[in-house]
Amino acid sequence: MLETVLKRDRDLGTPASLATETVRLTIDGQAITVPAGTSVMRAAAEAGIQIPKLCASDNLEAFGSCRLCLVDIEGRRGHPASCTTPVEDGMVVHTATGTLRALRRNVMELYISDHPLDCLTCPANGDCELQDMAGVVGLRTVRYGFDGAHHRDAAIDDSNPYFTYDPAKCIVCSRCVRACDDVQGTYALTIEARGFDSRIVAGQDDGFLDSDCVSCGACVQACPTGSLIEKTIIEQGQAEHAVITTCAYCGVGCGFKAEMQGDHVVRMTPWKDGKANRGHSCVKGRFAWGYATHADRLTTPMIREKITDPWRAVSWEEAIQHAAAELRRIQAKYGVDAIGGITSSRCTNEETYLVQKLVRAAMGNNNVDTCGRVCHSPTGYGLKTTIGESAGTQTFDSVMHVDVAVILGANPSAAHPVFASRLKQRLRQGARLIVIDPRQTELVDGPHVKADFHLPVRPGTNVAVLNAMAHVIATENLIDHAFVQARCEDPAFQEWLQFIRRPEHAPEATAAITGVPAADLRGAARLYATGGNAAIYYGLGVTEHSQGSTAVMCIANLAMATGNIGREGVGINPLRGQNNVQGSCDMGSFPHEFPGYRHVSDDAVRGLFEQAWGVRLQAEPGLRLPNMFDAAHSGSFKGLYCQGEDIAQSDPNTQHVIQALRAMECVIVQDLFLNETAKYAHVFLPGSSFLEKDGTFTNAERRISRVRQVMAPQAGKADWEVTCALSNAMGYPMDYRHPGEILDEIARLTPTFKGVSFGRIAALGGSIQWPCNEAAPDGTPIMHVDEFVRGKGRFMITRYVPTDERSSRRYPLLMTTGRILSQYNAGVQTRRTANHAWHSEDELEIHPHDAEDRGIQQGDRVAIQSRAGETTLRAEITERIQAGVVYTTFHFPECGANVLTTDNTDWATDCPEYKVTAVQVRKVTAPAPWQDSWQDIDQQQDALLRASAALATNH
C-alpha cells in the first residue's frame, strides 16, 4: 500500500515555463539554470530554496498580491515579488536578507491583525499555509488592528453541502477566484468592492449553493487558510495519513489522495501528480464518496428460494455453496449454455478478468458480457475495423495542443468535467470549437466559451452529418493526400472517395434529413480540415444509435482523410462513461473475445488460454446481453451471475429486462446495495466499494492506474475473493493470493499488457498507458504514430440508413438521453450522497413551442409515452433542446427513463439506441401505472429485506 506522509503536495509557486532556451542566474549564492520565462520563485524552489508565499500556486498564473515573496535583485531598486518576476541571464537574487525578513513580518502582521486568533480550535489547524508562513517569517506579536474596523464577525456561508466559507478567515489572496477561473473555468467567484471592503463572493453574492459554483473543490484546495474548508474536516478533524488511489466515477480516471484517520476516510483530495487530472477534480470524485459507508450498504450474504420470499442472512460459505449448486443444477437440467455472467465497469481489471475467466473456465461457455455492450461497443467495432485498435488514440494532455476540437454527441461539462476544464483552458488560449449535438450544451454558448459552430443534429442522423462533412472535404480538395497515400489502403480509399463525392452527401442534400443548415456544416468541415491540429472527442451520443458503429467509422474516415491522427493534439477520442469501461472491454468481457480483443474462434489464441487455464474452451461466441434476455424469455437461459451492474435500471426497455430476470431460476447479484436488479435476485453477495479495492482501473486514454485499498472490505471479502470462492465451489480452482498475481497472469496472456505490473506502474509514477510491452516498455501515450495497428488504415463505406425508430403522428417527438453533473449513471452511488441538493429527480427538457402546443407549464408533471412504455416526469421548459426533441436523464429508478427506450440496437454490436425514442408528451396529474407498480415492488422488496435477519446483522 502506498501511503504518504500527510503534508501538502510540493508547490513550486508558479507554472513551469515551456521555453526551450535556458537562463543562468544566481540565487543566494547558488548557480541555477532554468528555462527562460521561469519566475524567480519557481527557479528558487527548484533549487530547494523556499521563498515565503501565500497568493502563489504552481497551477495558477502569478498574481503578486500577498507581498510575502519579496526578494532583492542586484542592480534593481525596491523589492520585487518573486512570483511575477521572470529570471534573466546573469541575475543575482537574494531571498533572505534582514530587510526582507522585516518586510515579510510586517506584511504578515497586517494579515493577522484582521484574522481570528483561534488557531487551536480552527479546523485548518495543522493544514494552514497562513499559520505556516507566520512561523516562517518569525511573527511573534501583532501591534494593531484589534480595536478598529475588522471582518472577524462576518457571517459564515455553509449553504454548500460539502464545504463552508468563513469570510472572517479570508485574506483575499484571490487564489480561490483564480482556481475557479483558470483551473475549473466556471468563473463563479469574484472579489467584490476594493481595499479594506474587498471580499470574496459567489455569483452575485448568492451564496455557494445558489451560485454557478459546480463544487469541484478547486477553491477549497487553493485556499491557504481555513476560510474554505471541507465539512468533514470541521466535523472529524485532520487526517493522519493518506493513500493514493483512483476515482471510481467517470472514464477520466482521476488520481486522488484518500486522507485517512486510521481506516476512516476524512476527505478525498485530487492528487497533484495524477496524470489524468493534474490535481483537479469534480464534485463527484472530490466529495461524493460517502456512499461507501452509507447505512444502506448490505454487508451480509443473503439467499432466498423465490423473489417473493424474505431474504435469509447466511455465512459466506453457505451463500457461495448455494450459488454454485444452483448454477450446476441449472446446467445439468438445461445445458451448459443456460447460465452466464456480467462483468462490471465499476470493478477493477483484475476482478473483471476473473469473472470472464469464471464464465469461460468454470461455467464452460462464452456467455459473458459487460455494460460496455450498451455504451461503447460500437467504438470497439468501428475503430478495430478502420485503424486496428479498440481504444482512443491520445492522452488527455493532448488537448492542450489542439487547434480545433470537435465535440460530438458528448457533454463533457456534465459527464467528464475534469477533461472539460482542460478543454476550456485550451479554448481560452484560442483553440476553435465545433459542437455536434441535438442540445445546446454549456460549451455551445456559455459565458466564457462559445463554439464557432453548433450543428444541432436531429437524433439518429449522425452518419448523414459526418458523411456531409467528409463530402465537403473530398469535393473541396481538403484531403491530406500525402498522409492517405503513406498510411492507408489505396483501393479502400478510392472506393470511399467515389462514394463520399456523390451529390446525395452534399450538405444541401442532407439538411432536410439532419436539420443542420448547409452553410454551417460546410464551415465546420472546412475548419476541421484546415484549422491545424484537429481532434474529435465523442460520447454516447455517437455510439448509442442503430448506426453507432457506422458513425465511429465515419469519424475514423474523417481523421484519416485529413491526417489528424498519430501526433499530439489530434486523434479519435472516445469519452468513456464509467471508470473502468475501457478496462472491462480490455479484459475479455465480450462473448466473442478473450482479453486483448482476440476472437474466441482463433485456435492459436484459444490454445494459449486453454494451456494457461488447464481446461477446454468453447470456440463459438456466447450470448450478448440482449441475447441473454431473449433466451430467458424463451426459457433457455436460466442463471446469471451479475457483478456490479444494475441492468434492471440501466438497460433499455426496463419491462423486458425485468420479465427476463423473473424468468430465471437463479439470479446472483454482487453489489453494494439492494439495487433494482437485486430486487429480482435469489442470491445477494455483498460487494466492495473502490475504497476497499486493490488493483487497477483503465481510463478512456488507456491509462492503467493503481486502485489501492484504504479500508478493509466491510463485508469481509473483496470482490476478487468472492469470484474466486464461487469458481472454487463450482469445481474450477482459483488460488490467487493477491490482485497483483492476477495482473501478472493478464500480462502473460495479453500482448498489449505484457509489460504491465504493479511494480512497473509504481516505477512510472502511478500509471501506464497500454500498449506496454518490449516495443513500448514505458507505455504508449499516442497510438498510430508511424503506422496503424492494423498496418494500413482502411476507409469504410458508411451509408446512412434511417433508424426504424421514427416520429409519427402518434409519437411526434424524439426523446434522447444523457447525464448531468451531480448524478452518475444509475445513481446507485450519487443518490446516497449530498449531491441530491442539486438534482433530486430526473426531468424532461422540452422546447417552449412543444410545451405551449401541449399546454405544459414549467414544473408540470407530464406523461411520456413510447412504443415500449410510459412514465411521468417534471417538465423543464428550455431552449437548450430543439423543437421536436425532448431530453432526460436516467439517474433515478422511480422516474424510469428506460421504461421508454426500445429494443432497437446498433446493427453490428447490439448497442441499444438510447438516443432515439419516438414519444408523445402530455400533461397529467398522477404517476404512470408503471411508476405505481415500481413503488409497490420497491416497498415489497424493502419489507422482505427488513423481515430478514440481514438488517439486524448490518446494524
Side-chain angles (χ1 to χ4, degrees), residues 521-604:
L521 197 148
R522 286 190 176 275
R526 291 165 184 156
L527 177 59
Y528 174 74
T530 65
N533 286 342
I536 297 176
Y537 298 90
Y538 71 91
L540 303 184
V542 168
T543 56
E544 292 179 343
H545 287 273
S546 62
Q547 281 201 287
S549 294
T550 310
V552 173
M553 290 188 283
C554 285
I555 291 170
N557 289 343
L558 282 172
M560 291 188 292
T562 56
N564 279 305
I565 197 164
R567 64 181 186 277
E568 285 242 90
V570 299
I572 303 167
N573 305 275
L575 296 174
R576 301 281 189 165
Q578 294 200 64
N579 56 300
N580 200 38
V581 69
Q582 179 70 59
S584 69
C585 299
D586 297 342
M587 292 300 101
S589 292
F590 290 131
H592 66 293
E593 290 175 331
F594 288 118
Y597 304 100
R598 291 164 293 169
H599 205 278
V600 297
S601 64
D602 187 313
D603 292 341

Side-chain angles (χ1 to χ4, degrees), residues 852-917:
E852 184 178 7
D853 286 347
R854 293 160 175 79
I856 296 169
Q857 302 293 320
Q858 176 70 22
D860 281 350
R861 183 187 291 273
V862 294
I864 311 100
Q865 185 179 32
S866 74
R867 295 178 177 94
E870 178 178 323
T871 190
T872 67
L873 300 170
R874 297 290 176 186
E876 169 72 18
I877 300 175
T878 175
E879 293 186 352
R880 285 193 300 265
I881 196 73
Q882 58 185 275
V885 179
V886 293
Y887 169 88
T888 189
T889 52
F890 55 97
H891 305 302
F892 294 84
E894 64 271 25
C895 295
N898 281 322
V899 171
L900 305 170
T901 50
T902 68
D903 291 329
N904 227 31
T905 64
D906 172 53
W907 63 271
T909 66
D910 276 341
C911 181
E913 191 171 38
Y914 290 108
K915 304 307 181 192
V916 188
T917 305

Side-chain angles (χ1 to χ4, degrees), residues 53-134:
K53 60 182 175 63
L54 279 173
C55 73
S57 180
D58 58 14
N59 67 336
L60 304 172
E61 293 300 323
F63 195 59
S65 70
C66 76
R67 313 311 295 170
L68 269 189
C69 70
L70 306 178
V71 294
D72 282 336
I73 300 176
E74 291 185 8
R76 291 196 186 183
R77 297 176 58 186
H79 309 284
S82 62
C83 65
T84 56
T85 303
V87 296
E88 294 179 3
D89 208 39
M91 179 181 279
V92 179
V93 180
H94 303 280
T95 72
T97 67
T99 299
L100 290 173
R101 285 194 289 269
L103 287 171
R104 290 170 184 156
R105 274 195 300 272
N106 288 339
V107 169
M108 183 58 68
E109 190 175 2
L110 289 171
Y111 280 123
I112 300 303
S113 70
D114 191 23
H115 198 82
L117 298 180
D118 59 354
C119 286
L120 289 179
T121 57
C122 176
N125 186 23
D127 186 26
C128 174
E129 293 178 56
L130 183 69
Q131 190 180 60
D132 294 344
M133 290 302 104

Side-chain angles (χ1 to χ4, degrees), residues 497-719:
L497 193 61
Q498 184 178 8
F499 162 78
I500 208 67
R501 282 175 169 168
R502 294 176 186 171
E504 68 201 60
H505 299 308
E508 291 75 14
T510 60
I513 298 170
T514 66
V516 176
D520 288 349
L521 197 148
R522 286 190 176 275
R526 291 165 184 156
L527 177 59
Y528 174 74
T530 65
N533 286 342
I536 297 176
Y537 298 90
Y538 71 91
L540 303 184
V542 168
T543 56
E544 292 179 343
H545 287 273
S546 62
Q547 281 201 287
S549 294
T550 310
V552 173
M553 290 188 283
C554 285
I555 291 170
N557 289 343
L558 282 172
M560 291 188 292
T562 56
N564 279 305
I565 197 164
R567 64 181 186 277
E568 285 242 90
V570 299
I572 303 167
N573 305 275
L575 296 174
R576 301 281 189 165
Q578 294 200 64
N579 56 300
N580 200 38
V581 69
Q582 179 70 59
S584 69
C585 299
D586 297 342
M587 292 300 101
S589 292
F590 290 131
H592 66 293
E593 290 175 331
F594 288 118
Y597 304 100
R598 291 164 293 169
H599 205 278
V600 297
S601 64
D602 187 313
D603 292 341
V605 172
R606 194 172 63 260
L608 175 70
F609 283 92
E610 287 179 340
Q611 182 178 11
W613 292 352
V615 65
R616 295 280 295 181
L617 301 173
Q618 279 192 352
E620 293 295 324
L623 298 176
R624 297 173 174 179
L625 262 174
N627 305 139
M628 293 183 195
F629 300 147
D630 291 342
H633 278 276
S634 67
S636 61
F637 189 82
K638 292 292 187 178
L640 180 67
Y641 172 44
C642 181
Q643 183 189 76
E645 291 297 333
D646 193 2
I647 54 176
Q649 183 179 344
S650 61
D651 281 40
N653 197 346
T654 299
Q655 296 179 87
H656 181 73
V657 175
I658 289 174
Q659 289 162 7
L661 291 170
R662 286 182 178 275
M664 296 183 202
E665 294 184 7
C666 182
V667 175
I668 305 164
V669 169
Q670 185 173 334
D671 216 303
L672 306 179
F673 308 101
L674 194 75
N675 59 24
E676 296 303 299
T677 307
K679 293 174 182 177
Y680 303 94
H682 307 87
V683 179
F684 183 87
L685 304 176
S688 53
S689 72
F690 81 108
L691 295 172
E692 300 152 56
K693 291 184 182 297
D694 199 352
T696 56
F697 290 154
T698 305
N699 74 350
E701 52 174 358
R702 295 170 284 103
R703 185 177 302 281
I704 307 165
S705 300
R706 283 285 275 116
V707 185
R708 292 181 175 84
Q709 185 182 102
V710 305
M711 60 187 186
Q714 292 195 13
K717 287 184 182 293
D719 284 334

Side-chain angles (χ1 to χ4, degrees), residues 634-844:
S634 67
S636 61
F637 189 82
K638 292 292 187 178
L640 180 67
Y641 172 44
C642 181
Q643 183 189 76
E645 291 297 333
D646 193 2
I647 54 176
Q649 183 179 344
S650 61
D651 281 40
N653 197 346
T654 299
Q655 296 179 87
H656 181 73
V657 175
I658 289 174
Q659 289 162 7
L661 291 170
R662 286 182 178 275
M664 296 183 202
E665 294 184 7
C666 182
V667 175
I668 305 164
V669 169
Q670 185 173 334
D671 216 303
L672 306 179
F673 308 101
L674 194 75
N675 59 24
E676 296 303 299
T677 307
K679 293 174 182 177
Y680 303 94
H682 307 87
V683 179
F684 183 87
L685 304 176
S688 53
S689 72
F690 81 108
L691 295 172
E692 300 152 56
K693 291 184 182 297
D694 199 352
T696 56
F697 290 154
T698 305
N699 74 350
E701 52 174 358
R702 295 170 284 103
R703 185 177 302 281
I704 307 165
S705 300
R706 283 285 275 116
V707 185
R708 292 181 175 84
Q709 185 182 102
V710 305
M711 60 187 186
Q714 292 195 13
K717 287 184 182 293
D719 284 334
W720 69 272
E721 293 175 304
V722 175
T723 304
C724 287
L726 182 58
S727 183
N728 292 335
M730 292 188 70
Y732 180 78
M734 290 188 185
D735 56 358
Y736 306 97
R737 294 167 297 178
H738 186 270
E741 295 181 350
I742 306 171
L743 183 59
D744 291 343
E745 180 177 314
I746 294 167
R748 287 195 301 272
L749 296 173
T750 311
T752 50
F753 278 66
K754 191 170 184 179
V756 180
S757 67
F758 281 6
R760 189 65 183 145
I761 291 171
L764 292 174
S767 67
I768 191 170
Q769 288 175 270
W770 67 260
C772 174
N773 46 35
E774 295 95 336
D778 294 339
T780 309
I782 298 176
M783 296 278 284
H784 317 290
V785 173
D786 298 315
E787 65 175 5
F788 292 107
V789 170
R790 67 182 309 278
K792 295 278 190 176
R794 175 181 293 173
F795 282 81
M796 297 298 295
I797 301 301
T798 54
R799 293 183 179 85
Y800 166 65
V801 179
T803 173
D804 292 337
E805 185 66 15
R806 307 180 200 183
S807 57
S808 63
R809 285 194 351 184
R810 184 175 180 184
Y811 303 109
L813 303 174
L814 293 178
M815 184 188 78
T816 190
T817 62
R819 299 177 182 176
I820 56 168
L821 173 63
S822 60
Q823 297 293 342
Y824 175 73
N825 250 37
V828 175
Q829 296 150 277
T830 45
R831 281 188 280 111
R832 291 176 170 88
T833 70
N835 280 26
H836 59 71
W838 292 281
H839 195 89
S840 58
E841 63 178 337
D842 294 317
E843 298 174 329
L844 186 77

